[in-house]
Amino acid sequence: MKKTNDLTVQQKSSRDDSFMKKALRLAQKAFDADEVPVGALVVDQEGIIIGRGYNQVEKRNCQRAHAEQLAIQQACAKRKDWRLDNCTLYVTLEPCKMCIGLIEISRIKYLVYGASSPLFGYQLDNEQGSQLYKKSIKAVRPGVLADQAAALLKQFFKRKRA
């Protein structure tokens, strides 16, 4: 079995699924609070969750209150450092351009996300992003538990339109 960062591909996949399930529980919290259901976790190199967040844009009346932003803020406070070297961000929805910028600047090494975002996902603007920080993210793994993340989003927007 091929090894990546001291974990086999199978172990990494199982680990990613486990953390994404926790992020989905945070997305459910957002759903229950009538926020767009997105959840995020920052996990350090030891596999310890150091930041959690779920969308709170409506509650805080601030567009910056995305799940990724809140999880990163909590992780930085816990580390007492703005650098999140060797950390992984798990998020249930592909980050937007604003969030991918923060992820890059925070020096997060790995990004794992669930559902793709056809309207606001960073990949729509991938070619136009800053080259300065692109080297910080070493790997992106899309589609982890994507069906579950997408189902929660669809349920939320169907309810909103009703």
Side-chain angles (χ1 to χ4, degrees):
M1 171 118 346
K2 183 180 171 187
K3 288 195 125 197
T4 4
N5 294 335
D6 301 326
L7 292 174
T8 65
V9 173
Q10 186 176 2
Q11 288 170 325
K12 193 160 181 60
S13 177
S14 174
R15 176 181 162 152
D16 288 349
D17 287 356
S18 176
F19 283 121
M20 189 60 73
K21 285 176 186 172
K22 289 175 173 49
L24 282 163
R25 285 197 285 275
L26 290 167
Q28 183 65 52
K29 278 185 158 184
F31 182 94
D32 294 344
D34 205 28
E35 298 274 357
V36 175
V38 179
L41 298 172
V42 177
V43 178
D44 72 10
Q45 64 272 19
E46 306 299 321
I48 297 167
I49 298 170
I50 60 171
R52 290 176 173 83
Y54 59 90
N55 272 0
Q56 296 181 40
V57 172
E58 300 299 332
K59 177 183 178 183
R60 296 183 182 207
N61 293 312
C62 181
Q63 183 59 24
R64 192 186 58 79
H66 285 197
E68 302 94 302
Q69 304 261 345
L70 298 173
I72 289 170
Q73 182 178 5
Q74 189 179 79
C76 290
K78 185 159 190 145
R79 271 202 170 172
K80 296 181 174 50
D81 193 351
W82 62 268
R83 296 168 195 87
L84 297 175
D85 296 315
N86 298 314
C87 288
T88 301
L89 177 75
Y90 292 88
V91 62
T92 58
L93 180 64
E94 177 185 1
C96 68
K97 187 173 184 174
M98 174 180 70
C99 290
I100 201 69
L102 179 63
I103 294 163
E104 291 168 344
I105 291 169
S106 298
R107 299 183 181 176
I108 288 175
K109 193 170 187 178
Y110 301 106
L111 169 62
V112 179
Y113 68 86
S116 294
S117 177
L119 296 176
F120 302 109
Y122 81 93
Q123 291 192 67
L124 298 172
D125 301 310
N126 205 17
E127 298 302 315
Q128 300 170 353
S130 167
Q131 296 302 310
L132 179 61
Y133 296 106
K134 287 217 184 240
K135 61 186 175 199
S136 66
I137 300 175
K138 300 297 181 203
V140 176
R141 183 170 180 229
V144 175
L145 304 182
D147 291 343
Q148 293 168 345
L152 190 58
L153 286 158
K154 286 176 187 170
Q155 183 183 1
F156 175 80
F157 287 111
K158 184 177 181 181
R159 185 178 76 180
K160 281 296 201 188
R161 291 181 189 114

